[in-house]
């Protein structure tokens, strides 16, 4: 492990991240609209692998894929009051068609509630239509006024995942939220990302929601990144969009609704959480190339390292691995550098001596350790090593997250945490908005919310709210966020 360096990664994270997105071939930021970026082939391949997992989970849990238009009439957008208030400052308007001003202006969707729900009211008729579960992966647009950052805070979210469901009652909607949490947990394990779930405070829930849950990961600089949200809307949108069903006894009831959202922030999290000073480290599950084989020819050697490398590649492909043989005419050191930057989990080096001795050298990207294995055990060793890499990435990230969560009793202690190693602080809280906002101000941090599930949110007996001195009901989490 001695060779892994994470100095630039932790001390100059922003620079490290921005540079890496370009040098590793993820996106190009030079597109001439601020906050909108071009996906490069390698970045898109990784994102597609993440999406494939999400789609499979949606299928497994009985969601159908739909595809709605990107434009929403102003009249539909205005139906839910809280929702407009939350989004009106950040929507892009379409006001003209050619030279003619439009009678009804259109917005570019910032999210799809207001696009979908007038259609839901036509589709959902009876209790037999419920639960109703759909999803789509599309681009959405938000006029961000804060500092934009590729994959994290952008004006065009290119890969916005949104699941929308409708249910017979609150209880079934709650069951859906539990299913979303289970899907999210499986996805996070697939990406080797440890995370925490918080119930957002009322002043920070999704516009129009009854309550919102957010999933956060810990970034290298001690700030948190939200990578998933689940919302229970109760009947708020159903009433605004008149989504009713006929009960078994012939009455008409409004449905209960939920949503579940994610985006390319998942890729940002993978890049940030697992990286080091040499570049990305991709979990084998989503790496477009899981194993790169680098032949090292030597002058005067009378064996064919290229043929040997191709044979190994053939065996590995047959066993189901994504393999690339790098036959470029450049020095091996340069090849190592390139593939380390791109985060390929495992490299196999083969020189003339390996051909003669029927062996190969495996170099792990996560630990930068090397070991020699026999030709006949390569497939088995690769499988074992990739599994170990995935587990190691998860464990390393979990230790990092856990070491950045600190429970304190006073504002002073909380301040010290933010000055020192940063991360998340957990403070006793009486539950009042006034005290919550006061703490946000004093700490110059955001309240992520209270730990979820709710059993974990209760303050231990005898703890006091550090702002008002009353008995604390909850534990509240604060962090500096992206
Ligand atoms: Zn208080």
């Amino acid at each position: 492990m001695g060779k892994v360096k994470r100095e630039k990664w932790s001390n100059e994270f922003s620079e490290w991240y921005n540079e890496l997105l370009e040098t590793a071939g993820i996106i190009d930021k030079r597109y001439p609209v601020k906050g909108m970026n071009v996906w490069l082939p390698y970045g898109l391949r990784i994102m597609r692998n993440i999406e494939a997992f999400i789609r499979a989970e949606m299928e497994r849990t009985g969601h159908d894929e739909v595809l709605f238009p990107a434009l929403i009439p102003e009249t539909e957008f205005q139906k839910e009051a809280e929702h407009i208030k939350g989004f009106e400052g950040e929507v892009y308007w379409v006001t003209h068609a050619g030279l003619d001003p439009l009678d009804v202006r259109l917005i570019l969707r910032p999210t799809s509630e207001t696009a979908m729900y007038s259609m839901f009211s036509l589709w959902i008729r009876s209790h037999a239509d419920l639960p109703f579960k759909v999803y789509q992966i599309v681009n959405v647009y938000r006029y961000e006024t804060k500092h934009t950052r590729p994959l994290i805070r952008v004006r065009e979210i290119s890969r916005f995942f949104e699941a929308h469901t409708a249910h017979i009652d609150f209880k079934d909607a709650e069951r859906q939220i539990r299913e979303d949490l289970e899907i999210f947990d499986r996805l996070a394990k697939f990406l080797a990302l440890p995370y925490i779930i918080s119930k957002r405070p009322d002043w920070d829930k999704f516009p129009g929601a009854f309550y919102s849950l957010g999933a956060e990961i810990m970034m290298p600089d001690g700030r948190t990144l939200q990578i998933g949200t689940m919302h229970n809307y109760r009947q708020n949108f159903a009433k605004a969009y008149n989504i009713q069903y006929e009960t078994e006894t012939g009455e008409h009831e409004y449905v209960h609704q939920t949503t579940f959202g994610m985006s390319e922030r998942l890729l940002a999290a993978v890049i940030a959480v697992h990286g080091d000073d040499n570049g990305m480290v991709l979990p084998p599950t989503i790496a477009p190339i899981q194993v790169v084989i680098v032949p090292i020819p030597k002058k005067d050697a009378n064996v064919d390292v290229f043929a040997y490398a191709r044979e190994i590649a053939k065996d590995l492909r047959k066993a189901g691995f994504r393999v690339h043989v790098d036959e470029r005419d450049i020095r091996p050191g340069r090849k190592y550098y390139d593939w380390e930057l791109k985060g390929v989990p495992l490299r196999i080096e083969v020189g003339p001596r390996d051909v003669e001795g029927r062996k190969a050298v495996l170099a792990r990207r996560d630990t930068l350790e090397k070991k020699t294995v026999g030709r006949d055990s390569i497939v088995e060793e690769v499988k074992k090593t990739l599994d170990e890499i995935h587990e190691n990435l998860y464990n390393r990230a979990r230790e990092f997250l856990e070491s950045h969560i600190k429970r304190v009793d006073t504002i002073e202690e909380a301040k010290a945490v933010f000055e020192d190693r940063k991360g998340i602080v957990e403070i006793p809280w009486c539950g009042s908005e006034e005290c919550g906002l006061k703490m946000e101000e004093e700490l110059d941090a955001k309240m992520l919310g209270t730990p979820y599930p709710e059993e974990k949110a209760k303050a231990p007996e005898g703890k006091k709210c550090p702002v008002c001195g009353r008995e604390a009901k909850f534990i509240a989490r604060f962090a500096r966020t992206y």
Side-chain angles (χ1 to χ4, degrees), residues 181-192:
L181 287 165
E182 186 218 323
I183 293 168
F184 186 81
D185 189 63
R186 287 164 61 95
L187 174 65
K189 290 207 168 83
F190 180 74
L191 302 175

Side-chain angles (χ1 to χ4, degrees), residues 428-436 439 464-472:
W429 175 44
C430 64
S432 84
E433 180 163 337
E434 199 188 338
C435 290
M439 284 198 260
K464 300 272 185 280
C465 171
V467 179
C468 65
R470 283 178 296 181
E471 196 184 337

Side-chain angles (χ1 to χ4, degrees), residues 47-113:
M47 196 62 219
R48 294 287 189 222
N49 288 342
I50 298 174
E51 280 172 35
F53 185 87
I54 295 174
R55 282 178 203 281
E57 284 296 296
M58 286 292 105
E59 297 292 321
R60 181 181 70 81
T61 51
H63 292 74
D64 284 317
E65 187 170 9
V66 291
L67 193 52
F68 272 73
L71 293 174
I72 304 169
E74 183 174 13
T75 43
E76 289 303 315
F77 180 61
Q78 283 175 338
K79 282 184 179 168
E80 212 288 331
E82 286 289 314
H83 192 74
I84 323 165
K85 219 166 52 180
F87 279 104
E88 67 183 351
E90 50 184 83
V91 293
Y92 286 93
W93 288 97
V94 176
T95 59
H96 284 71
L99 298 175
D100 306 324
L102 293 172
D103 292 340
V104 177
R105 300 188 300 169
L106 305 168
I107 65 160
L108 265 174
R109 64 181 159 216
T111 170
S112 301
E113 280 74 8

Side-chain angles (χ1 to χ4, degrees), residues 260-271:
F260 176 16
M262 296 184 286
S263 71
E264 60 258 43
R265 278 187 170 199
L266 291 166
L267 177 56
V270 166
I271 293 171

Side-chain angles (χ1 to χ4, degrees), residues 12 20 38 55 85 88 178-179 194 220 285 309 327 345 353 366 388 402 463:
E12 296 159 62
L20 186 57
V38 181
R55 282 178 203 281
K85 219 166 52 180
E88 67 183 351
R178 288 196 297 277
E179 184 178 89
T285 46
E327 299 196 24
R353 279 196 198 159
D366 61 333
E388 279 171 20
E402 283 171 0
K463 293 285 181 191

Side-chain angles (χ1 to χ4, degrees), residues 35-52:
M36 299 190 185
N37 307 301
V38 181
W39 284 84
L40 297 173
Y42 190 66
L44 195 54
R45 281 169 76 190
I46 307 170
M47 196 62 219
R48 294 287 189 222
N49 288 342
I50 298 174
E51 280 172 35

